[in-house]
Amino acid sequence: MDNSRKVIAVLAFAVFCMLTGFTFYKWVRFGTIDGGSIFFSFLALSYFFNWLNWGSHDGGGEKDELDKHIETQSAKIGYFVLMILAAIILFISEGVSKLNDIENYPLLIVVGLTFVTLPITEFIYSRKFK
């Protein structure tokens, strides 16, 4: 990794740390949670990891077969991890263990959508080749 790529990676990580620190400070000091800061800290973290992996924030340019395989497998693994984390967040935020006790219907719908997104996408994409 050349010096300019290292500097950009360090800057992206510094922005992530500053946003996370600011969010944590506001939560501890004032008892408020800033949704914008949380969102942008995750955005900065994704920028940092894309830059480390591909040398670009948008995932790089030309990819060989190994790069495409890595991208495909990591997308599928990431999908399943996101599905599990969404379900965990739903049950933790609601503080219940029964589905009938959940009152946060938008989050419940999002968790439900995580279960059908991959099969629907695969179905639509497979129709392209049949």
Side-chain angles (χ1 to χ4, degrees), residues 86-109 111:
I88 290 171
I89 288 171
L90 173 67
F91 286 108
I92 290 174
S93 69
E94 288 295 303
V96 296
S97 60
K98 293 188 229 174
L99 288 174
N100 289 338
D101 295 338
I102 293 175
E103 295 180 6
N104 189 348
Y105 296 118
L107 184 55
L108 182 61
I109 290 169
V111 171

Side-chain angles (χ1 to χ4, degrees), residues 2-58:
D2 63 352
N3 284 339
S4 63
R5 286 181 61 188
K6 286 180 184 176
V7 169
I8 292 173
V10 168
L11 285 174
F13 188 72
V15 168
F16 165 72
C17 289
M18 288 183 343
L19 286 169
T20 305
F22 177 70
T23 304
F24 187 70
Y25 169 75
K26 283 181 69 174
W27 177 57
V28 169
R29 178 80 168 108
F30 302 109
T32 61
I33 297 175
D34 185 14
S37 295
I38 292 171
F39 175 78
F40 285 112
S41 65
F42 280 118
L43 195 62
L45 187 62
S46 73
Y47 186 93
F48 169 72
F49 277 110
N50 269 335
W51 196 268
L52 281 182
N53 196 33
W54 305 110
S56 171
H57 71 279
D58 58 1

